[in-house]
Amino acid sequence: MKRLFLIEFHKLKNNRAAKILSLIYFILFSAIALFASIRFNFGSIDFRLADQGIFNFPYIWHFNAYIVAFLKLFLAVVIVSMVSSEYTNRTLKQNLIDGLSKKEFILSKFYGVLGFAIASTALLFIVSLILGLIFSDYDEVGIIFSDLEYIFAYFLKLIGFFSMCLFFGILLRRSAFALGFLFLLWIFEGIIQLFVKFQAESLEFIINFLPLQSMGNLIIEPFSRLGIIKSAATQLNSEFEKSYDVEWSAILIVLSWSFIFIFSSWKLLQKRDL
């Protein structure tokens, strides 16, 4: 495992585009937290987003995991570009000549996916913890470390999404095609959701099994949990009941898709003449 991880790390270290995109990702990650803590003064208006309760424990785990997940596209570009470069630079063929098996090649890529997911999740945890300790109205240990399932859900969401990107990269061999296919999948799922909603409501459960939708189901939007939103809903006599839990069904579906994408990548590489 260590050897395969080091092989992938060495490739990443020598890939300038991957380093730049990774750096942009982590800078934007930190910038979101910085922006939320800035106080804006416009005449009589004194506003700071952090004062709206978004950094209160345990809500911060949910809010940050949901918001930061949108930045995963930067790392998706890194993953598909590294896979495509294996073909354009013929490093894949050279690795196989040097004794690396196709199974070990896929494992090395998966370890790279795992490394990105662990690093991003660790950063999410550290930044959220620091922001919470600074801005949260609650400092009890039991409250601080409750709702950490959203951190796990974020990690699993990255594993599923990056595994899918890895599969598309190996399937199509070109980063532009892989990212384009990802965009088409997003449109396709949207069309299916609209069709089911207006034409076949009895089949609504199928939507939860779609790859992108199942990953989205891991972390439900957190905005309606905010006190200001609940107060507004109460005043408008439109109170609503909604579950924000990380559901076991969503976890199992994403784990299944992750396995399918990694296994399919390996079988595809096995059958392909390089």
Side-chain angles (χ1 to χ4, degrees):
M1 176 178 175
K2 182 179 178 181
R3 179 175 69 92
L4 297 178
F5 180 80
L6 290 176
I7 290 174
E8 197 61 25
F9 179 77
H10 179 74
K11 292 177 181 178
L12 176 64
K13 187 175 66 173
N14 293 300
N15 189 316
R16 185 181 178 187
K19 288 191 291 186
I20 292 174
L21 286 169
S22 300
L23 183 62
I24 291 174
Y25 169 81
F26 289 111
I27 289 175
L28 287 175
F29 193 118
S30 304
I32 290 176
L34 180 63
F35 175 79
S37 62
I38 294 175
R39 184 178 296 277
F40 298 93
N41 290 294
F42 302 101
S44 60
I45 299 176
D46 185 9
F47 176 80
R48 185 172 63 170
L49 191 58
D51 294 335
Q52 308 309 307
I54 64 171
F55 291 154
N56 276 340
F57 288 119
Y59 178 77
I60 188 173
W61 304 118
H62 186 184
F63 180 82
N64 281 5
Y66 181 82
I67 294 298
V68 173
F70 288 102
L71 298 179
K72 66 183 181 293
L73 288 173
F74 284 93
L75 295 183
V77 175
V78 173
I79 291 170
V80 296
S81 65
M82 289 190 66
V83 172
S84 64
S85 67
E86 297 280 0
Y87 289 99
T88 55
N89 299 331
R90 304 186 68 82
T91 51
L92 170 56
K93 188 172 184 178
Q94 186 60 49
N95 285 156
L96 297 177
I97 292 174
D98 292 340
L100 194 71
S101 69
K102 292 182 178 180
K103 180 180 179 180
E104 288 177 323
F105 174 80
I106 293 297
L107 281 175
S108 71
K109 292 300 176 188
F110 178 71
Y111 293 150
V113 164
L114 197 61
F116 276 123
I118 290 173
S120 184
T121 304
L123 184 61
L124 171 65
F125 176 81
I126 293 170
V127 170
S128 299
L129 182 62
I130 293 173
L131 289 173
L133 292 174
I134 294 173
F135 295 108
S136 179
D137 297 328
Y138 310 102
D139 56 4
E140 295 84 354
V141 174
I143 295 178
I144 290 175
F145 293 105
S146 60
D147 282 4
L148 283 178
E149 62 265 24
Y150 292 109
I151 301 298
F152 169 73
Y154 174 79
F155 171 76
L156 185 57
K157 189 173 186 175
L158 293 187
I159 291 293
F161 187 72
F162 294 161
S163 297
M164 181 171 62
C165 292
L166 173 62
F167 171 69
F168 288 161
I170 291 176
L171 176 66
L172 301 170
R173 305 188 188 190
R174 295 290 185 272
S175 56
F177 292 161
L179 294 172
F181 195 82
L182 182 62
F183 179 69
L184 290 176
L185 176 62
W186 177 70
I187 294 177
F188 177 70
E189 288 196 12
I191 293 173
I192 290 179
Q193 291 182 44
L194 288 174
F195 174 78
V196 170
K197 182 177 181 180
F198 294 106
Q199 299 294 331
E201 290 188 10
S202 61
L203 300 177
E204 192 171 356
F205 70 95
I206 293 177
I207 294 175
N208 295 325
F209 290 91
L210 299 175
L212 292 175
Q213 182 60 42
S214 66
M215 296 169 200
N217 289 343
L218 284 171
I219 307 176
I220 304 300
E221 61 81 20
F223 306 110
S224 52
R225 287 183 68 185
L226 279 171
I228 187 173
I229 302 297
K230 289 183 177 180
S231 298
T234 301
Q235 292 176 7
L236 295 172
N237 296 320
S238 59
E239 294 186 18
F240 52 87
E241 294 293 332
K242 187 174 184 178
S243 173
Y244 301 94
D245 296 337
V246 179
E247 301 289 347
W248 277 105
S249 57
I251 292 174
L252 292 175
I253 292 171
V254 173
L255 283 174
S256 299
W257 276 118
S258 300
F259 173 79
I260 290 171
F261 287 131
I262 296 299
F263 181 77
S264 299
S265 298
W266 173 51
K267 297 301 290 185
L268 184 63
L269 200 63
Q270 270 192 325
K271 295 180 178 180
R272 185 170 286 171
D273 185 12
L274 301 175

